[in-house]
Amino acid sequence: MPAPCLRLKSHKRANKSLADEKKKQKKRPRKIAKSDLGEDVAGNSQSLSMFDEDSVEEGNDNESDLQEHRTVGIVNGDGDSESEDIQEVFDTDQEQELDVKAQTVAKAPVSRSSFHSHLEYKIPETEVEDLLKKKWKYQWDVPAFGMPDCKWVGTGECFLEVANINSDCGLNQRLYKHWLDVCRASGSNDFHSSPQRFFFSLCNSYRDILHCNKKPFYRKGLKEDLAIMDAYIMHCLNHIFRTRDLVTKNDSKLGKHWENAKDNLLSGDEFLDHGFTRPKVLILLPFRSIANRAVNRLIQLTPGAYKVNVEHMSRFSDEFGNHDDEDNVNTNELNGSAKNSNSQKSSKPPDHQALFEGNVDDKFMIGIKFTRKSIKLFSDFYSSDLIVASPLALLKKIEESKRDKEKNVDYLSSIEVLIIDHADVIAMQNWAFLTSVLEKLNCIPSKQHGTDIMRIRKWYLDGHARFYRQTIVLGGYANPGNLILTLYLSLHY
């Protein structure tokens, strides 16, 4: 059957036009894709050691056993669519349950994590055909948490319910504890019923998400904006660390039992944990100033044990920080008084001032690598776990690769989680940049790039990686010309 989808719909306008619009946003089924990163096995493999310095805890997963990847989308209120030590790798963390008191929460009846369920799911060809033919139907709805007069609507099996139940957050213990500490330090004592906790449960379901009713920071929605950013950042970190745990475990098994493991590699799927290249997460943002906020928040939300050292932080601050303060001071001096400067600022609407405050360069790209105890900013893209970029910068890289084959963009071939935040701003820049970038995601690479081909997942080799990729589109509004198109592109290219 087609992959399930989820969207937000207004109670006030449940008309046929909205139903028709919702059908256009149905998304593919996907499973969590495993990391393509792996260490050399007992010196016998030339595979790319994606986590050669990393060893992280592997937690017990108490989440929904999702047999299909799903899409989550939002329609606005008017009805518009919108280990440290290596031994730790084998330690199982008893992840704490969350007493979810939110109005809408994710069910967790099975102990198998959504990460592993997503990765292990084998999409049948008939389902691929249905997705390509855009066959889907919304079958259920539940009230939306924190959004009056709105409700989530979705296809496939409903994984949301209106109830106060216990649900596991889906994070490994260190990430979970650190997130709680960060929330408490900020003065929040109701994490279990917070917007970020709920939105994380949506992200962690590995459904595609179309949320076009988000109130952005530049429209006095800073709290909501930060909550959603926290949720998707924690989801990205969780995906990266779980991927690393999985590869590190398999590397250790192969190192200890190489001969037997070699037979298993040839006969089963146990050690198929690689993609074509290392990068697994891509976050697309419109401005350097917004990327600055996102990367700094990512560093804050990373547990201390994993960030004993943050490399090239000074360079990051220089290239992504706010350079307008000195310019503003010089302008005030030239105008003779601060009053004149304030008068000039007031000539623009408040939302315009807030959005364009800071570094608004729209051509940037940075790779981020997580090692055992450090975060490396500006890492080589092929050795990065996460890439933060603007559509324009990626498009320039793609165009450059067409002129020079040595400068390929194969690091986009194994993206498993795609975040497009502030899509409404990207639409005002040039939506064609984004669609051109999406065309290059999850394509078969031009080179091997050192990856052990014996450990590449079959659905990468079959060309089905695009159906397993999770796409999360976030913005303040949607229209058929941009955000809905994103869902089609992420599915069919």
Side-chain angles (χ1 to χ4, degrees):
M1 62 181 290
C5 303
L6 186 63
R7 293 179 52 201
L8 189 66
K9 164 185 170 182
S10 170
H11 289 300
K12 298 178 179 180
R13 293 182 58 185
N15 50 32
K16 291 184 178 180
S17 62
L18 179 58
D20 293 338
E21 191 67 20
K22 289 186 293 186
K23 290 182 180 179
K24 296 179 181 179
Q25 295 187 24
K26 161 57 172 74
K27 244 340 224 175
R28 64 192 173 284
R30 297 172 244 194
K31 283 327 230 163
I32 306 175
K34 293 186 180 178
S35 170
D36 56 307
L37 309 181
E39 301 180 6
D40 292 345
V41 180
N44 295 316
S45 172
Q46 297 298 322
S47 65
L48 177 63
S49 179
M50 307 183 81
F51 297 114
D52 46 353
E53 301 178 62
D54 310 340
S55 58
V56 186
E57 301 175 3
E58 172 72 6
N60 288 334
D61 304 307
N62 302 310
E63 307 172 42
S64 301
D65 186 10
L66 305 177
Q67 293 304 313
E68 299 178 72
H69 187 80
R70 300 160 180 139
T71 302
V72 180
I74 291 189
V75 179
N76 64 25
D78 294 328
D80 298 326
S81 61
E82 359 183 68
S83 39
E84 299 318 279
D85 299 321
I86 192 67
Q87 289 84 357
E88 292 185 21
V89 178
F90 302 98
D91 294 337
T92 54
D93 301 327
Q94 296 181 349
E95 297 182 349
Q96 306 177 25
E97 294 185 0
L98 295 178
D99 180 14
V100 182
K101 299 178 181 179
Q103 186 179 10
T104 310
V105 296
K107 292 189 279 188
V110 186
S111 60
R112 192 63 171 165
S113 73
S114 57
F115 173 82
H116 290 92
S117 298
H118 177 66
L119 287 173
E120 295 166 5
Y121 178 73
K122 296 181 180 180
I123 181 173
E125 289 296 330
T126 55
E127 193 167 5
V128 173
E129 293 175 1
D130 286 342
L131 290 170
L132 294 175
K133 293 177 182 178
K134 307 173 185 178
K135 291 184 178 180
W136 54 74
K137 181 179 180 181
Y138 287 87
Q139 300 173 332
W140 55 268
D141 60 70
V142 296
F145 169 59
M147 287 174 275
D149 299 323
C150 292
K151 59 184 178 181
W152 291 102
V153 295
T155 65
E157 179 185 357
C158 177
F159 80 113
L160 296 176
E161 66 178 9
V162 183
N164 293 328
I165 61 174
N166 292 330
S167 176
D168 194 288
C169 195
L171 289 164
N172 68 38
Q173 189 178 28
R174 282 190 174 179
L175 281 175
Y176 169 71
K177 288 182 177 180
H178 182 68
W179 199 8
L180 284 179
D181 291 341
V182 171
C183 290
R184 289 167 183 160
S186 64
S188 175
N189 297 318
D190 59 346
F191 170 79
H192 302 301
S193 59
S194 65
Q196 56 264 43
R197 185 265 173 269
F198 169 69
F199 197 75
F200 172 82
S201 70
L202 297 183
C203 296
N204 195 50
S205 72
Y206 282 88
R207 290 176 180 259
D208 291 318
I209 300 174
L210 178 58
H211 186 342
C212 299
N213 197 34
K214 186 185 76 167
K215 191 173 183 180
F217 69 92
Y218 54 88
R219 292 179 180 170
K220 301 181 180 180
L222 180 60
K223 185 176 181 180
E224 178 181 343
D225 211 349
L226 288 176
I228 291 176
M229 183 172 67
D230 280 6
Y232 73 67
I233 286 177
M234 290 305 295
H235 175 55
C236 293
L237 289 173
N238 195 47
H239 186 80
I240 291 170
F241 290 154
R242 285 192 182 277
T243 295
R244 183 170 68 178
D245 292 346
L246 177 64
V247 173
T248 305
K249 268 190 169 183
N250 287 341
D251 286 345
S252 181
K253 290 179 182 178
L254 288 170
K256 292 180 179 179
H257 310 286
W258 171 244
E259 292 301 326
N260 293 334
K262 185 176 181 180
D263 294 336
N264 290 333
L265 280 171
L266 297 175
S267 60
D269 298 340
E270 181 180 358
F271 295 102
L272 300 183
D273 54 7
H274 281 39
F276 294 118
T277 54
R278 175 166 180 163
K280 289 292 171 288
V281 178
L282 174 63
I283 300 179
L284 297 177
L285 302 169
F287 296 133
R288 283 183 183 261
S289 58
I290 297 177
N292 183 35
R293 295 171 57 241
V295 173
N296 275 291
R297 192 58 176 170
L298 179 143
I299 294 172
Q300 293 173 6
L301 292 176
T302 302
Y306 303 149
K307 59 176 180 182
V308 175
N309 181 36
V310 180
E311 299 183 18
H312 307 299
M313 191 64 201
S314 297
R315 175 186 170 187
F316 177 77
S317 298
D318 290 340
E319 294 188 13
F320 286 80
N322 186 352
H323 303 293
D324 291 344
D325 292 340
E326 182 177 351
D327 294 338
N328 289 338
V329 171
N330 293 335
T331 300
N332 292 344
E333 292 177 351
L334 290 173
N335 290 334
S337 69
K339 182 176 180 180
N340 292 335
S341 176
N342 292 333
S343 176
Q344 288 184 347
K345 288 184 178 180
S346 64
S347 64
K348 299 291 185 181
D351 59 337
H352 182 279
Q353 296 180 46
L355 175 60
F356 290 95
E357 180 181 9
N359 192 335
V360 293
D361 178 27
D362 61 351
K363 184 182 178 182
F364 60 89
M365 190 172 176
I366 178 174
I368 302 175
K369 177 181 179 180
F370 293 87
T371 65
R372 187 174 63 179
K373 293 184 179 181
S374 68
I375 301 175
K376 295 183 178 181
L377 304 180
F378 298 99
S379 58
D380 178 78
F381 296 130
Y382 282 99
S383 64
S384 299
D385 299 301
L386 180 150
I387 296 174
V388 179
S390 65
L392 175 59
L394 266 179
L395 179 61
K396 293 298 182 182
K397 291 288 186 180
I398 293 171
E399 292 176 344
E400 188 176 357
S401 69
K402 294 178 180 179
R403 297 189 297 267
D404 186 351
K405 298 300 181 182
E406 294 299 319
K407 298 181 179 180
N408 57 69
V409 291
D410 290 344
Y411 45 77
L412 300 177
S413 63
S414 301
I415 298 299
E416 297 171 356
V417 177
L418 169 65
I419 310 292
I420 305 172
D421 198 1
H422 298 285
D424 48 334
V425 180
I426 294 176
M428 290 187 288
Q429 292 175 328
N430 193 325
W431 195 254
F433 294 167
L434 177 60
T435 58
S436 297
V437 169
L438 294 177
E439 294 176 12
K440 297 297 295 184
L441 298 184
N442 302 110
C443 295
I444 302 296
S446 59
K447 298 181 179 180
Q448 183 176 340
H449 298 288
T451 304
D452 184 355
I453 60 175
M454 298 298 292
R455 293 178 66 175
I456 296 178
R457 289 186 172 277
K458 290 183 178 179
W459 41 263
Y460 273 106
L461 300 175
D462 293 340
H464 289 169
R466 57 185 175 176
F467 299 112
Y468 287 80
R469 186 186 73 239
Q470 180 185 27
T471 301
I472 300 176
V473 183
L474 307 168
Y477 63 86
N479 62 68
N482 49 51
L483 298 185
I484 296 176
L485 178 60
T486 298
L487 294 180
Y488 284 107
L489 293 172
S490 61
L491 173 60
H492 300 306
Y493 279 121

